[in-house]
Amino acid sequence: MNLTTILLVAAAIVYVLIRRFTGEPFEVRHLVVPPVLLIAVGGYQVAHTSGQHPVLDGAVLGAGALLAVAGGILRGLTVRVFVRQGRLWYRYTAWTVVVWLVVVGVRFAESAAGTALGADTAVVVAALPLMFGLSLLGEAAVIGRRGLATGVPFGDWYRSSSRDLIHR
């Protein structure tokens, strides 16, 4: 993973964190697009990084993926879902910060353990965007389900965009 990729992933993380800590309307694109992009970037990087022990690398990546999704699910349980001005919103809480820190610590420990077992460091590092994306996807699944349970309609960006075009 080169410096540009690291900076892009860091920028994506900061962007998502700022938006979600300040609170934002519940729109499917905000929940789905960031993880899908990160999973695509991470998957591409992993596919183009060859290790010396592909079976071990795959096992470490599989364990990391399970931990990432589980961390995202746990984090999703800490997110506040609420109604503001007739629209569904969501916002990170102080507990979300705690879970983020724990998940990051687990990710570092998992990476260190995988490397200590003989997994290729380049593969483990290349998977960082993939793991972050999987974590966000696990979070989105929980938040999406909680949002659906409220019965309040989501912010529909397709209809609002077409309305904006019609009213111009």
Side-chain angles (χ1 to χ4, degrees):
M1 183 176 338
N2 61 29
L3 181 60
T4 303
T5 305
I6 293 171
L7 292 175
L8 288 173
V9 170
I13 292 169
V14 169
Y15 174 77
V16 168
L17 290 176
I18 289 172
R19 285 191 64 112
R20 293 185 181 181
F21 272 113
T22 58
E24 64 181 344
F26 198 105
E27 294 183 2
V28 174
R29 68 180 168 146
H30 291 159
L31 288 173
V32 176
V33 171
V36 168
L37 290 176
L38 287 166
I39 289 168
V41 168
Y44 177 83
Q45 288 182 173
V46 168
H48 289 84
T49 305
S50 60
Q52 299 297 321
H53 306 95
V55 173
L56 180 60
D57 293 343
V60 169
L61 293 178
L66 289 174
L67 290 171
V69 172
I73 289 170
L74 182 61
R75 198 173 53 250
L77 296 172
T78 68
V79 175
R80 183 171 172 242
V81 176
F82 58 98
V83 178
R84 177 186 291 171
Q85 299 172 349
R87 291 185 68 193
L88 196 58
W89 284 61
Y90 66 105
R91 191 175 136 226
Y92 280 180
T93 64
W95 283 110
T96 312
V97 175
V98 171
V99 175
W100 264 110
L101 294 173
V102 169
V103 168
V104 168
V106 167
R107 175 67 189 146
F108 279 117
E110 184 266 332
S111 295
T115 302
L117 289 172
D120 194 299
T121 304
V123 174
V124 172
V125 172
L128 285 174
L130 174 66
M131 298 307 166
F132 181 56
L134 289 171
S135 180
L136 285 177
L137 200 58
E139 176 185 305
V142 173
I143 297 171
R145 183 165 185 203
R146 291 177 59 211
L148 285 171
T150 66
V152 176
F154 296 179
D156 189 343
W157 66 285
Y158 292 110
R159 273 193 268 146
S160 64
S161 297
S162 62
R163 264 197 310 264
D164 291 345
L165 291 174
I166 293 170
H167 294 293
R168 285 186 185 170

